[in-house]
Amino acid sequence: MITIVSKQAAREQLNHIVEVIEQEGVQAHIAHAPDHTVVGMIGSIKPALVERLQQLPGVEKVEKVSKSYKLASREFHPENTVIQIGDVKIGGGELVVMGGPCAVESAEQIDEIARLVKAAGGQVLRGGAFKPRTGPYSFQGVGVEGLIMMAEAGKKHGLLTITEVMTPEYVDICAEYADILQVGTRNMQNFDLLRKLGEVRKPVLLKRGFSATYDELLNAAEYILAGGNPDVMLCERGIRTFESYTRNTLDLSAIPVLQHLSHLPVISDPSHGTGRRELVEPMTRASVAAGADGLIIEMHTDPDNSMTGDGVQSLFPDQFARLLRELEQLSPIIGKSFATPKAPAESFIPQLQQ
Amino acid sequence: MITIVSKQAAREQLNHIVEVIEQEGVQAHIAHAPDHTVVGMIGSIKPALVERLQQLPGVEKVEKVSKSYKLASREFHPENTVIQIGDVKIGGGELVVMGGPCAVESAEQIDEIARLVKAAGGQVLRGGAFKPRTGPYSFQGVGVEGLIMMAEAGKKHGLLTITEVMTPEYVDICAEYADILQVGTRNMQNFDLLRKLGEVRKPVLLKRGFSATYDELLNAAEYILAGGNPDVMLCERGIRTFESYTRNTLDLSAIPVLQHLSHLPVISDPSHGTGRRELVEPMTRASVAAGADGLIIEMHTDPDNSMTGDGVQSLFPDQFARLLRELEQLSPIIGKSFATPKAPAESFIPQLQQ
Amino acid sequence: MITIVSKQAAREQLNHIVEVIEQEGVQAHIAHAPDHTVVGMIGSIKPALVERLQQLPGVEKVEKVSKSYKLASREFHPENTVIQIGDVKIGGGELVVMGGPCAVESAEQIDEIARLVKAAGGQVLRGGAFKPRTGPYSFQGVGVEGLIMMAEAGKKHGLLTITEVMTPEYVDICAEYADILQVGTRNMQNFDLLRKLGEVRKPVLLKRGFSATYDELLNAAEYILAGGNPDVMLCERGIRTFESYTRNTLDLSAIPVLQHLSHLPVISDPSHGTGRRELVEPMTRASVAAGADGLIIEMHTDPDNSMTGDGVQSLFPDQFARLLRELEQLSPIIGKSFATPKAPAESFIPQLQQ
Amino acid sequence: MITIVSKQAAREQLNHIVEVIEQEGVQAHIAHAPDHTVVGMIGSIKPALVERLQQLPGVEKVEKVSKSYKLASREFHPENTVIQIGDVKIGGGELVVMGGPCAVESAEQIDEIARLVKAAGGQVLRGGAFKPRTGPYSFQGVGVEGLIMMAEAGKKHGLLTITEVMTPEYVDICAEYADILQVGTRNMQNFDLLRKLGEVRKPVLLKRGFSATYDELLNAAEYILAGGNPDVMLCERGIRTFESYTRNTLDLSAIPVLQHLSHLPVISDPSHGTGRRELVEPMTRASVAAGADGLIIEMHTDPDNSMTGDGVQSLFPDQFARLLRELEQLSPIIGKSFATPKAPAESFIPQLQQ
């Protein structure tokens, strides 16, 4: 349930409302919307509490939230969540681009790619140190060393870093080295991992399970939020359908739907979402046009020899740079800001079909 | 198989090549690409014919086409197909917008909507006279009278018209009244209908079956092309997945994929593709950003009382007009041209999440 | 809506009820259930008619039917529909086996296969004369001649025949030669075809569209029933999912679900449902155990050289015969009867894994 | 790769072969097939090793295994794996039935249900102590206490026990109390959990992810096998499709396919596979007819008040008992043995449609 408090209510009135709620053993979460303040209530709420709240000064009304998730819902938290990390704001009017290889392979590799991401205008360096792999005999990532290499490359080139964490016991070490922790598609409902991420003070990018509904994704986010970590980004990365030409079917409707149901930023992953390099460019543009708050894109200096075999969906560095310049032109049309270092305002035409 | 003929080849050389092919009982289709001419060959091709062709003057090489469809493939026909109907060109650099109600309901309704489509900048009026309905007790369309009403409204307001044809026996009458014939998602593999459409001289918009692969869609187009009708547009209108929040999952990757595999124009249908009015705007923008050659969008003056119950996915007239002004801003960024009558170059911000 | 009439009501009372309904321009369909008689009403039913009916002698109550389909629903028609064709009853306690090649290829082929189907204990000969093919350059069936060949083979060997009809204009000729008309998976929502089949006096086997819900299948059946043809069988033949090891995913839950929602017989097609010969045997057994009223199974004397390329899912004649002997053992356990000519009551063990 | 060793080879010859393999740093796994012995090799295998092996006495040939999984494949391990726990053998000719509630709710509840499972003829008691729940505010299970309650109920009534483990850190405590550890559908690709389960000495039932392919399921099993735990059962529990009438689509083709590709026992879960009580009976019969080695079925004494809300798919105790008597009749037809305590050989007829 939520208590809607008038914008005109005095600070003490709001404090008193919260006090009344917490006296009944119910948690209160405050969120400021443009027209009013929302006090979310989680716990067992008795009718007597509702009646008492309705009579308190400053209270406009007490309402039920219709979803199984609460903290993640826009009803509960009407204004957009903006996650600020250093200078970068995610979920506000800025477009955020995260780029890098599928896996960290060596210090040289990640350093060179970081340089290229920065030069192209990206704000975040992506790279996997621990890799989830379908079979046990595939390359599983370079581990903790990879975290260190990536942290150094990020610091050197002025980039934030994001990396995947696969199991609760590695959350702390990943949180030590990376700026954003990623939950992969196979772990979206690894509830112990989600609970553990609720306890850390680092933002989390939560990828949609490849067969998860919007509702399930928002409930998974709720685990993290309910644990006390408010900084969650949702990520559409393609769903599994009958179509096998693409690795997944990138469901771009997820972007406006999730932004409608939730206040959390929504990131698109056109690399995994298509699994084909030649589709990354058009689907990146489409993601931005659909309203994405950011992108996570695979780029590799030598895609054909990547250690994970995912090179087929990685852009070459020049494609990545060119794509970011396109986004610079496209973003203002959609009401977003994005700038590349040199910003040569050239026009472009879709390349794929030529 | 295809025979690649040099751009420098004389006209008589090309004619002779075609003659040699047809003497063997094989059909020859000529397509002009920027760098060479492609002569597609359909039928049983003997090794002796291949050998003979390879030695003819003007022939660069004779190659196998790797797909089960041929006339629809870009290998076979490298340059984009541009379908010209009156002043409107589909598949070239212009963006084409088709708008209108799910079903023609009355002469007044379709006249008023035609006026609004034209005023907003649309080039084509859509409307169903014959409606495919899941159950036999639902409104099945007003029939031939609806065709006439729509033709009159189109003529009066200077719009082309498009309508769905459901069965071979109605192809001729639909072709008499409408400028473009539409094959619906349930009929994508109604092969007798496709064959009949191969015989008419009107362009066809072929909707992807809601569970059809790209390959199946292109093979369905091949039925029409092989029948002698070269003017086919492909339409992505959403596929059936496990996600039920949206009516379908609009698969925007289909746009660049189909443009890569084929030379035919690709149209997006964000109305059926999402089934929700509030998603039509962002998904229209995303379709254009992904490279769509056109859009088919439902608009109704009184969506909540539409006779098909599809009003929930229809835009209100002012939303439609506003969306087309957005496209006017977006199109040049993607290398397409599109103009609205008044063109007030206002900037906009996504509305959904506010 | 339905009017429930007491079992004790006199015949004249029932006649009068029907008269009252029809006077209001509403159609009445009578169905006898064990405990009462159901008079289904289709059309625009005014409150006054309901009130009047409620007061007529013999009427127990007047109720709404909750589904969009009516004639196909078990609510409307509580007892099982049993379709009798010659000596064969479908939908009663007998298990019905339809066997034969994907396509009729020659008179010799279909005669030999008919002999083998009969010898193994099958009651119906299947075979396609008109074949729906994904692409226009594939073998499209031998046409009307194939119908004649199959009719002769069926007559000679004492088998009923079933064949697919793809378009309204061929319904009459197919009905002339075949005992059962089949609607293929791609045509489940070819509504003009369904309407035409409502007018013929031959039973119809309606295959589920490969992405059709149960509800859509029952609404498709409703088109045929509403046209006046009461003899419809439903057929589960596999749905399209993400799993590509099998050609389709045979959804055996469809059998009890459809029998629960409807009174129509349910047939299983393990050949198309799996697309792999080695799975036909276990999935046939599973279909019978799930309660199927019959099976339609591909069998070919030379599967590897079949003209459609579907041989990979066709049984060899000895596999077919062996499978039918297994069904003879299994059927009585499930409360069904099925007999093979020689009936050697050997026991068997699953073969696949050995 | 695998080395095929002749059945006539002396024990010392086999030992020598293994020695040669291990000297090269390659792991050797021995499996005895009826006609020969298979020595599986995992690791980096040099051509020189292959050449040397081919010349050793007793070696028939050295072959490549075509799958990404090896230990799980039937190529690598031709004979069925039979898992023996106490008196119960899983994967041999016996049918194994696991029954019980979705969640352990109290000592009384699990004791009473254990009594009923045993009385009906079940061999294993199922029950969740830790419950994976879509949202954080749902009942999450009673935890370790539940493990103890279930262990006591199992011991008292002479049943084995199976329970789900959700995270690596709980594997040891679950292994202490339960006889079989279950990996739930959402954790099929929780690779750290799988690795940890490779280290325990308890059998594991691995549920197929609700959108996992057969190949992914077998690769997940490979993680456990490669860790050193050979006792893995595979479980088909329904996949996610477009059909929403059932909770999932139970893919029974998975049973013969997995038994063909692998030597591991295959268990069917018709409760989660359908999500509807009235479908559990026919789909249990169909599972057995398709060749399942066992079943895991939800049963509850008061399903409508179950704490997880999954009661809608739980059988009542008398339905469960009746179903097991049906299986007693059905099993010998399929070459399996199964006995209920009292074994009243009544015949039965499907109930659903009556």
Side-chain angles (χ1 to χ4, degrees), chain B residues 133 137 211 222-223 240, chain C residues 133 137 140 211 222-223:
Chain B
R133 304 307 301 273
Y137 311 126
S211 284
E222 188 79 9
Y223 270 93
R240 189 163 273 190
Chain C
R133 303 308 300 274
Y137 311 125
Q140 310 270 328
S211 284
E222 190 78 8
Y223 270 93

Side-chain angles (χ1 to χ4, degrees), chain A residues 220-293:
Chain A
E222 189 79 8
Y223 269 92
I224 304 173
L225 298 170
N229 185 347
D231 293 335
V232 177
M233 299 161 235
L234 306 172
C235 179
E236 164 60 31
R237 49 77 69 206
I239 58 173
R240 189 163 274 191
T241 70
F242 63 85
E243 179 60 72
S244 61
Y245 183 92
T246 45
R247 182 174 174 181
N248 294 287
T249 295
L250 188 64
D251 174 18
L252 291 185
S253 296
I255 296 170
V257 169
L258 293 170
Q259 287 172 340
H260 176 68
L261 297 175
S262 178
H263 50 90
L264 299 171
V266 181
I267 309 298
S268 175
D269 177 351
S271 304
H272 289 86
T274 63
R276 298 178 78 111
R277 185 182 301 146
E278 75 272 20
L279 299 177
V280 171
E281 183 187 328
M283 297 314 283
T284 295
R285 290 198 309 258
S287 299
V288 172
D293 296 297

Side-chain angles (χ1 to χ4, degrees), chain A residues 65-257:
Chain A
V65 176
S66 57
K67 307 293 193 303
S68 55
Y69 49 89
K70 293 181 205 314
L71 301 174
S73 76
R74 199 172 272 281
E75 277 173 294
F76 203 92
H77 184 300
E79 33 176 4
N80 286 343
T81 282
V82 179
I83 301 174
Q84 176 144 13
I85 321 171
D87 293 341
V88 179
K89 287 182 192 162
I90 306 175
E94 287 173 30
L95 188 72
V96 176
V97 177
M98 313 182 185
C102 180
V104 178
E105 297 174 12
S106 69
E108 293 70 33
Q109 175 236 27
I110 196 70
D111 178 76
E112 173 63 6
I113 292 178
R115 189 182 67 75
L116 292 161
V117 168
K118 183 69 180 184
Q123 302 101 317
V124 184
L125 177 65
R126 63 150 288 157
F130 304 95
K131 299 300 303 173
R133 304 308 300 273
T134 299
Y137 311 125
S138 303
F139 170 62
Q140 310 271 328
V142 298
V144 176
E145 271 186 85
L147 292 177
I148 300 172
M149 293 171 191
M150 189 163 59
E152 286 175 357
K155 201 174 300 170
K156 177 171 163 192
H157 296 286
L159 292 169
L160 300 176
T161 58
I162 177 170
T163 202
E164 178 167 350
V165 56
M166 288 169 59
T167 197
E169 70 177 292
Y170 279 90
V171 166
D172 289 331
I173 188 124
C174 288
E176 193 181 328
Y177 287 105
D179 297 300
I180 307 172
L181 302 179
Q182 174 185 319
V183 177
T185 190
R186 296 173 187 80
N187 277 316
M188 192 202 83
Q189 293 192 316
N190 183 336
F191 300 118
D192 286 277
L193 176 60
L194 300 178
R195 279 196 201 90
K196 177 74 186 170
L197 288 166
E199 299 166 14
V200 295
R201 291 285 75 79
K202 284 283 169 85
V204 174
L205 180 143
L206 176 64
K207 288 199 162 183
R208 180 183 186 187
F210 54 67
S211 285
T213 61
Y214 304 143
D215 190 77
E216 289 167 341
L217 172 57
L218 290 165
N219 269 290
E222 189 79 8
Y223 269 92
I224 304 173
L225 298 170
N229 185 347
D231 293 335
V232 177
M233 299 161 235
L234 306 172
C235 179
E236 164 60 31
R237 49 77 69 206
I239 58 173
R240 189 163 274 191
T241 70
F242 63 85
E243 179 60 72
S244 61
Y245 183 92
T246 45
R247 182 174 174 181
N248 294 287
T249 295
L250 188 64
D251 174 18
L252 291 185
S253 296
I255 296 170
V257 169

Side-chain angles (χ1 to χ4, degrees), chain C residues 101-107 109-110 127-129 139 141-142 146-147 149-150 307:
Chain C
C102 181
V104 177
E105 298 174 11
S106 68
Q109 176 236 27
I110 197 70
F139 171 62
V142 296
L147 291 178
M149 292 171 193
M150 191 163 59
M307 289 175 73

Side-chain angles (χ1 to χ4, degrees), chain D residues 22-81:
Chain D
E22 294 181 341
Q23 276 168 1
E24 298 291 316
V26 172
Q27 285 177 46
H29 292 255
I30 296 174
H32 296 280
D35 303 333
H36 50 255
T37 299
V38 176
V39 184
M41 299 179 287
I42 294 180
S44 166
I45 296 163
K46 292 178 195 146
L49 172 58
V50 174
E51 262 176 61
R52 178 142 181 235
L53 284 170
Q54 280 165 336
Q55 290 158 12
L56 288 184
V59 169
E60 285 186 357
K61 54 185 165 176
V62 182
E63 281 187 341
K64 233 184 158 161
V65 175
S66 57
K67 308 292 193 302
S68 54
Y69 49 88
K70 293 182 205 314
L71 300 175
S73 76
R74 200 172 270 282
E75 276 174 293
F76 204 91
H77 184 300
E79 34 177 2
N80 287 344
T81 281

